[in-house]
Amino acid sequence: MSTTSIGSLTRRNFLRTGALGAAGMALAAASPLAAQQLGLELEYVSAWDVNLTPPQVIGPTPDGLRQIIYAVDGTASGPKMNGTWLSGGGDWLRVRSDGVFALDVRATIQLDDDSLAFVHYPGYGVIAPEVFNRIASGEEVDGAEYYFRMTPRFETASEQYAWLNSTIFVGTGQLGPFLASVHYDVYQVL
């Protein structure tokens, strides 16, 4: 793509560019996408409460400190999604050299229509060492004291929950005492 400075732009090219720009703006105004709000809106979907195994600490690797934490069981309950977390899923967690927790969670949720949904989400946890130690020692620490966010994606064959396959989600997390559980609040981006 070539660029032209404003000083070398001829009147004819200016008018042609302006006409194309105006036509493009008119098309955009007629598009349903143009009707979307500039800001994002969120709608609450579900609370997830998951019990966890102690981590399998692989140790420091070239990609960071690797740990695998399995989901024992759990629930998803809320206005738009309900179900049970099945055992076998987990987090292939990596603690980066800068101390950031990089989530790589993959799990199966049995939805309330008896269908299954595969959920995968990356995310980040930024937790000061003293806050992490309080949680690991059994203290209930408010999630507002640290950053814990994720972006789940779903795959399901359920007709009732087919909307999960084409929707963007975000969530906030909170670690439970002794790191034995995790709570998420999941939101749909409208």
Side-chain angles (χ1 to χ4, degrees):
M1 177 178 186
S2 65
T3 58
T4 306
S5 72
I6 194 76
S8 65
L9 192 61
T10 66
R11 183 174 188 269
R12 181 177 176 187
N13 285 339
F14 175 80
L15 291 174
R16 185 173 17 170
T17 304
L20 289 173
M25 289 175 64
L27 283 173
S31 165
L33 295 176
Q36 291 182 344
Q37 295 180 355
L38 295 176
L40 296 176
E41 292 181 42
L42 302 177
E43 184 174 354
Y44 187 69
V45 172
S46 189
W48 297 351
D49 289 292
V50 183
N51 295 310
L52 307 171
T53 64
Q56 296 176 355
V57 180
I58 306 302
T61 73
D63 291 329
L65 175 65
R66 176 71 67 183
Q67 301 180 41
I68 302 170
I69 305 160
Y70 291 104
V72 176
D73 58 20
T75 59
S77 59
K80 296 189 75 174
M81 179 183 170
N82 292 284
T84 303
W85 276 66
L86 301 180
S87 64
D91 187 357
W92 283 256
L93 179 71
R94 183 172 49 94
V95 182
R96 300 184 332 196
S97 61
D98 61 0
V100 172
F101 291 64
L103 306 176
D104 181 10
V105 176
R106 296 161 194 267
T108 306
I109 300 174
Q110 183 171 14
L111 300 166
D112 60 0
D113 68 352
D114 288 328
S115 64
L116 299 178
F118 169 70
V119 62
H120 169 244
Y121 53 92
Y124 291 120
V126 181
I127 308 171
E130 61 276 4
V131 173
F132 182 82
N133 289 337
R134 288 170 43 210
I135 297 167
S137 298
E139 186 177 330
E140 179 92 28
V141 176
D142 188 329
E145 291 193 45
Y146 53 94
Y147 183 86
F148 192 14
R149 306 290 187 267
M150 43 78 112
T151 55
R153 295 181 67 180
F154 293 91
E155 294 176 33
T156 185
S158 168
E159 290 183 24
Q160 177 183 339
Y161 286 100
W163 61 277
L164 293 174
N165 295 318
S166 58
T167 302
I168 301 292
F169 298 91
V170 295
T172 61
Q174 180 175 342
L175 293 167
F178 301 109
L179 309 170
S181 64
V182 64
H183 172 86
Y184 292 106
D185 287 306
V186 180
Y187 301 84
Q188 173 183 0
V189 179
L190 301 176

